[in-house]
Amino acid sequence: MLDLDRLRALHAVAVHGSVSAAAEALHVTTSAVSQQLAKLERETGHKLLERSGRGVRLTDAAQLLVAHAESILAMVEKAEADLEAHRGAVVGELTIAAFPTAVRGLVPAALAALRADHPGLRVLVREYDPLESLPLVARGDIDLAIVQDWNNEPFAVPDGLEKGSICEDVADVALPAAHPLAGRDVVGIEELAGDCWISSTPGSICCDWLVRTLRSVEREPRIGHMVYEFASQLALVAAGLGNAVLPRLGRCDIPPGVSVVALRPTLIRRIYAVWRQEAARRPAICAALDALRASARSLQPAGRDEKTTVVAAQRP
């Protein structure tokens, strides 16, 4: 009979590309993974790994076994989720990935509520861009990811994953105080399209979205500076070096020299939680989703500026 832990080790090597990366993902030593693979080779009577340069590659027999291992591990995860659902207890470990403003604006209150209501649940948070976190959920490295899309550019959920709405978040534009349009209540994105912009790093969901949005108004984007943190972006805006799109969720303090103006048409980020279909019945997933939605509902306008309100989504 095939041993589940040995199949999991082989699957991890296939997914992560090396024995050392598999060991890191499984939170064990490289030696432990190598031992599991050696035992699996003896168990199956087939050589599973071959040296390829400085690394290894899977043999044909290993590729065949990995295909079965994916199905077996998915069935095991579903069985474990069904047992948790039958028991109804919110226990165990849950790893959540989120992008920076969600980590700052949504996650702290949600984690505090989960710790108070479900002391048997251990939650771990990891900060990732949505383009990074979705593959991590798909291959089982992360249990739940908080991701985003925009009202003018929805994203498709990859096969094998499910999503649930958390909230909607409006974005404004941060302009240097000396900008000719800084005194306006509302500005059209087309009026700013030719300006210099400050955005996150290339390949991130926000940077790619900004480039496509500016191109939609028939202007080639001028992304002058690329930094990830909004506080750093605002420092550059305050110095008069460009504009930045500024979501309201998790918004940091606005420094002197920056004017925040509403955009027309309104730009809305839709924020979701995403998890694997096999884990859909886990009470921990349901509890985390409820806590995140409650955190979104609890958000209050900053000071008296109603434009900072985050609109919570209804339960599906």
Side-chain angles (χ1 to χ4, degrees):
M1 181 178 295
L2 295 173
D3 182 89
L4 189 62
D5 288 336
R6 295 166 196 167
L7 286 177
R8 186 174 283 111
L10 179 63
H11 182 262
V13 172
V15 168
H16 298 284
S18 70
V19 173
S20 59
E24 184 177 352
L26 295 172
H27 307 293
V28 297
T29 65
T30 301
S31 176
V33 173
S34 297
Q35 290 176 24
Q36 293 282 32
L37 295 175
K39 291 177 181 178
L40 187 58
E41 286 185 332
R42 291 196 296 270
E43 191 174 55
T44 60
H46 289 278
K47 187 173 181 61
L48 300 176
L49 296 181
E50 294 177 341
R51 291 199 173 277
S52 177
R54 295 183 178 181
V56 296
R57 71 175 185 86
L58 273 64
T59 65
D60 291 343
Q63 296 284 4
L64 177 65
L65 199 54
V66 165
H68 288 291
E70 288 179 351
S71 299
I72 292 168
L73 294 173
M75 291 176 63
V76 169
E77 183 177 15
K78 186 177 186 303
E80 291 173 344
D82 286 346
L83 284 172
E84 282 191 34
H86 179 72
R87 183 173 54 188
V90 181
V91 295
E93 184 173 284
L94 188 74
T95 305
I96 297 177
F99 53 92
T101 50
V103 171
R104 186 164 59 245
L106 283 175
V107 170
L111 262 60
L114 287 170
R115 183 174 60 183
D117 296 340
H118 308 290
L121 178 67
R122 180 172 180 249
V123 183
L124 307 175
V125 175
R126 304 288 184 263
E127 186 175 285
Y128 285 105
D129 185 82
L131 296 179
E132 299 173 308
S133 63
L134 283 173
L136 293 174
V137 175
R139 69 192 193 197
D141 293 346
I142 297 291
D143 297 308
L144 186 78
I146 303 173
V147 300
Q148 66 178 46
D149 68 9
W150 296 84
N151 58 331
N152 63 340
E153 192 172 286
F155 81 90
V157 177
D159 291 341
L161 302 183
E162 295 183 6
K163 72 175 182 180
S165 297
I166 297 175
C167 64
E168 291 183 347
D169 179 28
V170 175
D172 304 305
V173 62
L175 302 175
H179 193 285
L181 302 179
R184 296 259 294 268
D185 290 330
V186 181
V187 63
I189 190 72
E190 72 283 354
E191 299 178 81
L192 303 168
D195 289 1
C196 182
W197 289 84
I198 300 159
S199 186
S200 52
T201 51
S204 65
I205 194 168
C206 289
C207 183
D208 291 352
W209 164 83
L210 178 60
V211 168
R212 289 189 291 267
T213 297
L214 293 175
R215 283 176 178 164
S216 73
V217 293
E218 300 182 351
R219 297 297 297 267
E220 187 59 26
R222 292 174 54 211
I223 310 295
H225 307 282
M226 295 183 177
V227 294
Y228 207 78
E229 281 295 330
F230 281 113
S232 300
Q233 292 183 20
L234 289 175
L236 294 175
V237 174
L241 300 174
N243 311 332
V245 173
L246 186 62
R248 298 174 186 176
L249 176 65
R251 181 174 293 184
C252 54
D253 293 337
I254 307 300
V258 175
S259 177
V260 179
V261 182
L263 283 164
R264 183 187 64 246
T266 303
L267 293 180
I268 298 175
R269 292 196 303 179
R270 297 176 296 192
I271 298 173
Y272 305 93
V274 177
W275 58 89
R276 290 183 302 284
Q277 290 177 347
E278 293 85 0
R281 294 191 65 200
R282 282 190 65 189
I285 295 287
C286 299
L289 189 56
D290 286 343
L292 289 166
R293 287 172 173 159
S295 176
R297 288 193 299 269
S298 71
L299 294 174
Q300 299 296 323
R304 298 185 179 182
D305 183 0
E306 294 183 357
K307 293 192 299 182
T308 59
T309 303
V310 177
V311 182
Q314 297 298 313
R315 189 178 183 87

